[in-house]
Amino acid sequence: MEKQNDTICALATAAGKGGVSVIRVSGPQAPAFCRKLTGDTPEPRQVSLSKFHAASGELIDSGLSIFFPGPRSFTGEDVCEFHCHGSPVVVDQLLARLVEFGARLARPGEFSERAFLNDKLDLTQAEAIADLIDSSTVQAARHAVRSLQGDFSRLIRNLVAQVIELRVYVEASIDFADEEIDFLASGNILARLQALVSAVDLTLAQAKTGSLLREGLRVVIAGAPNVGKSTLLNALCGQEVAIVTPIPGTTRDMLQREINLDGIVVHLTDTAGLRQSDDPVESEGILRARKALAEADHVLLLVDAANVDDFQSLPVWQEFAALPLHQLTVVFNKIDLHQMPPMIQPATVPQKLFLSASTRAGLDLLKQHLKNCAGLTPATDGGFMARRRHLVALAGAKESLKQAIHCLEDLKAGELVAEELRNVQKQLDEITGKFTTDDLLGAIFSSFCIGK
Ligand SMILES: Nc1nc2c(ncn2[C@@H]2O[C@H](COP(=O)(O)OP(=O)(O)O)[C@@H](O)[C@H]2O)c(=O)[nH]1
Ligand SMILES: [Mg+2]
């Protein structure tokens, strides 16, 4: 990260006309710039009525100024805020004046980034600020506030503390080479590793709910050509979004629509039918369909109801061999042609659902099923906001824990257990930002808006 000894400034309120605009300045020169702009030495944490002057001495505006000396400020540095009238012209003049003094216009997210670098916030809290501002439902806002208050960070720190305790024990055992395994057995390491897997699982489930509120559920409709994928998309959207014909290979590009199921945003993607094709356009569509499948939260594999008994011998089934099966529902379509009732078999692997996209029989079952897949219930309301990168890190930590159990039980190798536990800690530390790379920080903060 570049050095933070410069002083940055930006408009902190929304751009455009309004009652009041707030300009934020952070860095060692902030109080000096305040003195130059207002002619007064600012009193810490007191609101002063100020006049803001141009270089010529002419009045730009009058308003309020506040000085928050570091480290008791948002960024942990000296911070000044100037409240002026909400005029873009006034704001431009004040910012130009600050730049004249030697301030630099802040990059997107730079205030939050400094707060993070000065340990005022951890990474999940900094992200929660952006999520709170971006939230589009009350529920999402509540989850973001809880993350901002540190609920999520506390859970992660608690997990890390348990991992460290285990690491200390396991690493100590390596020094007793002869009795290493006895030593590990007496420490009940296996039971503690298993308890940690359960704890990570629980956090992962809560984080999934949070992430869902932020990002929505990504559902991909896939299958062979002509099974009724586009018809199903249209039925779920309640409008004719996709072209439906009896000709196989009609859909070539991906079609995406958002639907709202009782407050859960579902991003639906209709894809090109999966088959071998010599048509370059259709082939590209199929390539994209496979990519969408890999990124989906849930896949609806559409199959003609004629294939109820032999769907696993269809070529399209091979496409799904690599998918984790809990993300997959096989939807048998066109039941109207086979005199079958709409129904769901949620306990089978994979789960099965029977409907008719064109008569809409069973469509309600599918909507309810998608809501269940999202796992969003009133019971999960105490949760926090989470992002996809948090889910990836938690899933990685769980994988390393399972690996550690394998190293202990099957390989009886304490050193490998220690190595896996190091990985677990690193992945958990990535969530709160205790372990980070500049790339990760750059990617996170650059998605913030300026002045945040
Ligand atoms: N009888 C019946 N026909 C359907 C049903 N769903 C789709 N179709 C027909 O199947 C053909 C292919 O549909 P389409 O949605 O384009 O399939 P896609 O290639 O998978 O997108 C069209 O002629 C549809 O009218 C259904 O539930 N019942
Ligand atoms: Mg289609």
Side-chain angles (χ1 to χ4, degrees), residues 211-245:
S211 155
L212 194 71
L213 278 175
R214 182 176 182 271
E215 321 201 13
L217 186 74
R218 289 181 296 187
V219 174
V220 172
I221 306 173
N226 240 16
V227 291
K229 298 180 295 299
S230 299
T231 310
L232 182 63
L233 176 79
N234 291 345
L236 283 168
C237 295
Q239 48 172 262
E240 301 301 304
V241 179
I243 300 173
V244 170
T245 76

Side-chain angles (χ1 to χ4, degrees), residues 129-239:
I129 297 178
D131 293 340
L132 178 60
I133 293 170
D134 289 338
S135 56
S136 46
T137 64
V138 172
Q139 208 177 12
R142 285 198 186 132
H143 278 64
V145 164
R146 277 192 287 264
S147 279
L148 183 54
Q149 294 303 313
D151 287 19
F152 187 22
S153 318
R154 261 190 295 283
L155 275 178
I156 299 297
R157 280 202 306 269
N158 188 351
L159 289 174
V160 170
Q162 294 179 51
V163 173
I164 290 175
E165 230 175 80
L166 267 178
R167 281 189 61 190
V168 169
Y169 198 90
V170 172
E171 286 183 20
S173 78
I174 297 169
D175 298 335
F176 298 87
D178 294 341
E179 310 118 79
E180 180 182 298
I181 290 307
D182 294 342
F183 191 94
L184 290 175
S186 69
N188 218 357
I189 299 299
L190 182 60
R192 286 160 76 184
L193 281 171
Q194 282 161 343
L196 256 175
V197 171
S198 309
V200 169
D201 253 344
L202 199 66
T203 312
L204 194 57
Q206 282 176 288
K208 271 189 185 147
T209 308
S211 155
L212 194 71
L213 278 175
R214 182 176 182 271
E215 321 201 13
L217 186 74
R218 289 181 296 187
V219 174
V220 172
I221 306 173
N226 240 16
V227 291
K229 298 180 295 299
S230 299
T231 310
L232 182 63
L233 176 79
N234 291 345
L236 283 168
C237 295
Q239 48 172 262

Side-chain angles (χ1 to χ4, degrees), residues 435-450:
F435 171 85
T436 52
T437 57
D438 283 0
D439 285 353
L440 174 67
L441 291 186
I444 290 172
F445 288 108
S446 62
S447 68
F448 284 33
C449 39
I450 290 182

Side-chain angles (χ1 to χ4, degrees), residues 66-83:
I66 315 173
F67 171 41
F68 304 95
R72 286 174 61 195
S73 69
F74 174 67
T75 60
E77 307 173 329
D78 282 353
V79 169
C80 284
E81 277 183 15
F82 303 109
H83 299 215

Side-chain angles (χ1 to χ4, degrees), residues 193 401-413 417:
L193 281 171
L401 279 169
K402 287 189 152 170
Q403 207 51 42
I405 291 176
H406 167 65
C407 295
L408 181 67
E409 274 199 308
D410 305 330
L411 309 179
K412 310 211 180 305
V417 177

Side-chain angles (χ1 to χ4, degrees), residues 263-318:
I264 304 166
V265 177
V266 177
H267 307 277
L268 281 173
T269 305
D270 175 24
T271 56
L274 300 169
R275 64 168 172 182
Q276 286 300 329
S277 167
D278 296 330
D279 180 325
V281 181
E282 190 184 357
S283 298
E284 176 60 28
I286 293 172
L287 214 66
R288 290 181 189 195
R290 294 204 172 105
K291 188 158 173 282
L293 282 176
E295 292 169 355
D297 294 313
H298 198 93
V299 174
L300 300 176
L301 170 60
L302 240 66
V303 175
D304 193 303
N307 295 109
V308 173
D309 295 322
D310 63 351
F311 74 96
Q312 277 165 325
S313 58
L314 297 176
V316 73
W317 181 253
Q318 304 311 317

